Amino acid sequence: TYDSDKDTEEAGFPDTYYITIDEDGEEAQEKTESARVALTVEEFEETSPSKTEPVASDFTFTAPTSLEYNGSAKTATVVPAAGKTGMGEVTIEYYNAAGQKVPSAINAGKYTVKINVTEGDSYQAKDGLTDNTWNFTITQVELTPVVTLSGAISNEYNGDKNLSAADLAKLNVTFEDSGNNAVTVNSSDYTVTASYADANAETDKAITVTVALKEGTDAKTNYTLADGGVVTGSDIKGTITKKEIESSA
């Protein structure tokens, strides 16, 4: 019988109950000996099957389809492989060649993809999951510098074949891609130098212009220059006039 310490109708789980065991004597109504023992009833906790830790082979990786730099973010996809159900939500992260996490893959260079997976019905949570094939490279775009003159370049012979700062200011530099489309490059991202083949006096003397992208700029990261940035052309010319020497009396 249940002990009267707790009414059986009010019993809840988990809790401890006391049972009295009566041993009958010769007559059915006579109880000659009894023992009181404690019985503890614990709450039953239903356990679910253990969940599997995700691995790279549980997913399908797809690199971006267009990998030439265009100023827009490139997006890879990582989704559960066919037949893999019960996976949690997948979040993609991008890391550059230096191993630094970046908000998105925009600039030219190599990127590694890692994923964070939340807990799902059948799989555990997992952060930083990757594979040695989960990478892609955004390639640089080759640009052609186009140089035009904003005014005539003419100087008296001074023994220097290099153009002065004033003459360099008359050189207008623009850039085109392989499809002859204009591409904007900040003037602060490149340098321009120019010179004649020699310093001798001559009319309509060819000028060679060299454009160089500055180190550490986005332009240097994302572009290369055709012919090393060296530009010559029939329209890029100047004149070095002879120096008049005064005779002494």
Side-chain angles (χ1 to χ4, degrees), residues 145-165:
V146 178
V147 179
T148 57
L149 300 181
S150 62
I153 296 176
S154 180
N155 295 285
E156 185 180 70
Y157 171 79
N158 62 4
D160 188 357
K161 68 178 183 178
N162 297 312
L163 269 63
S164 66

Side-chain angles (χ1 to χ4, degrees), residues 67-114:
L67 288 174
E68 185 176 67
Y69 171 78
N70 62 1
S72 298
K74 309 295 184 181
T75 304
T77 60
V78 181
V79 296
K84 300 294 182 179
T85 59
M87 190 72 69
E89 182 179 350
V90 177
T91 303
I92 295 178
E93 295 179 336
Y94 298 95
Y95 292 78
N96 61 20
Q100 301 167 323
K101 181 182 174 181
V102 293
S104 54
I106 297 178
N107 291 330
K110 184 176 181 179
Y111 293 87
T112 296
V113 171
K114 297 181 181 182

